């Protein structure tokens, strides 16, 4: 336990040091790349953003592409991972580590395509099985076949309209296609489904998540008042600084355009 505490403290100190370096030099590419490795565990989206920032600042630096591909692979996003590894091998064509990883990704992608075929056969035999449509939709999403994913999620919802997690999964695909109105509609359905229940029957933090997701989309479509209202709902549940910062960012954006 003591060793874990020391390691955890080291990670926090290192994270703070990299953050300070970025504050002093926001274009310090290596600091973004290195800070990822001392982030709190499980911050997948933040880690992706860190590597993406490193790539933006220095697109000729191969390793952030590799590290981002490893994250994509962990979540089974093989197409995105392969795209990053193609860039890696373009930048560093003699690196066997990059070549071997890319080959392994192609093998996993082929296995995923086999799963699609298997599920399609199962759906033919059992056309009213929600689980099969949902599973195939998830694979389609990871293969970036978004139209097919939406169709399968919609069919699953038709079969099981009270399986609320399906709406969240479909909303995320709508976001990938930039169909923000339909994504907002799905998040709104989730919010309404939770607002009418007692807190003991679901996690209040799920509701906070739904509000935050919808707030981000309202910001994208420039419905700032609705976005602020949703962030305020999040703050009512848990007054995190990042929610308050989101409101400040919107207010600054509106003021700059006034």
């Amino acid at each position: 336990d003591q060793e874990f505490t020391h390691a955890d403290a080291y990670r926090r100190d290192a994270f703070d040091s990299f953050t300070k370096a970025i504050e002093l030099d926001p274009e310090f590419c290596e600091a973004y790349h290195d800070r990822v490795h001392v982030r709190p565990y499980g911050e997948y989206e933040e880690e992706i953003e860190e590597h993406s920032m490193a790539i933006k600042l220095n697109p000729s630096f191969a390793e952030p592409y590799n590290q981002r591909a490893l994250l994509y692979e962990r979540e089974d996003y093989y197409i995105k991972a392969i795209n990053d590894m193609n860039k890696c091998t373009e930048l560093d064509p003699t690196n066997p580590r990059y070549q071997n990883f890319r080959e392994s990704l192609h093998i996993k992608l082929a296995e995923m395509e086999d799963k699609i075929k298997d599920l399609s056969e199962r759906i033919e035999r059992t056309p009213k099985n929600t689980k099969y449509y949902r599973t195939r939709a998830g694979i389609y999403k990871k293969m970036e076949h978004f139209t097919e994913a939406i169709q399968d999620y919609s069919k699953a919802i038709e079969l099981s309209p009270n399986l609320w997690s399906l709406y969240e999964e479909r909303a995320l695909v709508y976001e990938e296609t930039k169909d923000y109105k339909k994504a907002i509609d799905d998040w709104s359905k989730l919010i309404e489904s939770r607002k009418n229940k007692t807190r003991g029957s679901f996690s209040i933090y799920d509701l906070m998540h739904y509000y935050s997701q919808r707030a981000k989309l309202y910001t994208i479509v420039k419905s700032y008042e609705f976005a602020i209202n949703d962030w305020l709902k999040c703050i009512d549940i848990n007054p995190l600084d990042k929610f308050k910062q989101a409101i400040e960012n919107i207010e600054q954006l509106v003021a700059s355009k006034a």
Side-chain angles (χ1 to χ4, degrees):
D1 289 345
Q2 189 174 12
E3 287 182 8
F4 176 79
T5 302
H6 287 162
D8 204 39
Y10 168 79
R11 290 175 66 88
R12 283 198 304 270
D13 289 345
F15 181 85
D16 290 344
S17 295
F18 285 127
T19 300
K20 185 63 177 177
I22 290 168
E23 288 174 0
L24 294 171
D25 182 2
E27 297 188 1
F28 189 179
C29 167
E30 288 78 3
Y32 289 100
H33 173 64
D34 292 338
R35 185 169 67 171
V36 176
H37 304 294
V38 291
R39 269 194 168 278
Y41 296 109
E43 294 189 344
Y44 171 77
E45 291 182 7
E46 290 82 356
E47 290 174 21
I48 291 287
E49 287 176 8
E50 297 270 51
H51 288 309
S52 298
M53 179 58 75
I55 289 166
K56 180 181 178 181
L57 292 171
N58 186 359
S60 298
F61 183 19
E63 189 57 23
Y65 293 99
N66 177 57
Q67 293 297 319
R68 189 171 67 177
L70 287 165
L71 290 172
Y72 284 141
E73 182 209 21
R74 193 176 75 193
E75 299 297 317
D76 298 337
Y77 286 106
Y78 299 126
I79 297 287
K80 290 180 177 179
I82 288 169
N83 289 339
D84 274 353
M85 293 316 298
N86 286 341
K87 190 66 179 178
C88 273
T89 53
E90 176 189 322
L91 292 169
D92 190 356
T94 61
N95 189 320
R97 182 164 55 94
Y98 293 162
Q99 293 170 354
N100 292 339
F101 183 32
R102 184 172 64 169
E103 287 173 12
S104 74
L105 290 169
H106 279 289
I107 292 169
K108 290 180 178 180
L109 180 60
E111 291 171 353
M112 192 171 273
E113 289 169 347
D114 288 340
K115 288 180 184 177
I116 288 285
K117 291 177 185 176
D118 178 60
L119 284 162
S120 297
E121 290 172 2
R122 293 187 184 197
I123 286 170
E124 269 193 49
R125 294 193 299 268
T126 318
K128 293 189 177 181
N129 188 305
T130 301
K131 179 182 176 182
Y132 293 160
Y133 285 104
R134 181 185 195 175
T135 303
R136 190 172 69 173
I139 297 173
Y140 275 139
K141 180 194 173 190
K142 289 177 178 180
M143 294 178 70
E144 300 189 3
H145 295 173
F146 299 127
T147 299
E148 292 86 348
I150 289 168
Q151 288 172 348
D152 274 0
Y153 278 128
S154 297
K155 183 62 178 179
I157 288 169
E158 178 188 321
L159 294 170
S160 302
N162 294 322
L163 185 54
W164 296 107
S165 52
L166 290 169
Y167 295 89
E168 176 174 359
E169 291 164 18
R170 186 174 67 176
L172 293 171
V173 183
Y174 280 136
E175 289 178 26
E176 291 277 6
T177 63
K178 295 183 168 51
D179 194 341
Y180 299 123
K181 182 182 182 303
K182 288 183 179 177
I184 287 170
D185 288 343
D186 274 349
W187 291 118
S188 298
K189 288 170 187 171
L190 284 162
I191 289 167
E192 289 305 312
S193 76
R194 293 298 186 261
K195 280 168 62 177
N196 297 326
K197 291 187 177 182
T198 59
R199 287 195 177 187
S201 62
F202 73 98
S203 168
I204 193 67
Y205 291 100
D206 286 343
L207 184 57
M208 181 181 73
H209 172 63
Y210 303 153
Y211 276 122
S212 68
Q213 289 296 115
R214 191 172 68 173
K216 293 173 187 176
L217 298 182
Y218 276 140
T219 304
I220 290 172
V221 300
K222 301 180 181 179
S223 295
Y224 299 126
E225 184 177 346
F226 289 115
I228 289 173
N229 286 339
D230 275 356
W231 287 125
L232 288 172
K233 293 286 187 182
C234 292
I235 290 170
D236 286 343
I237 297 169
N238 192 2
L240 296 175
D241 288 341
K242 67 179 181 180
F243 298 150
K244 298 172 186 177
Q245 185 62 52
I247 292 176
E248 288 180 18
N249 292 343
I250 292 172
E251 289 174 341
Q252 289 172 6
L253 181 63
V254 172
S256 69
K257 295 185 177 183

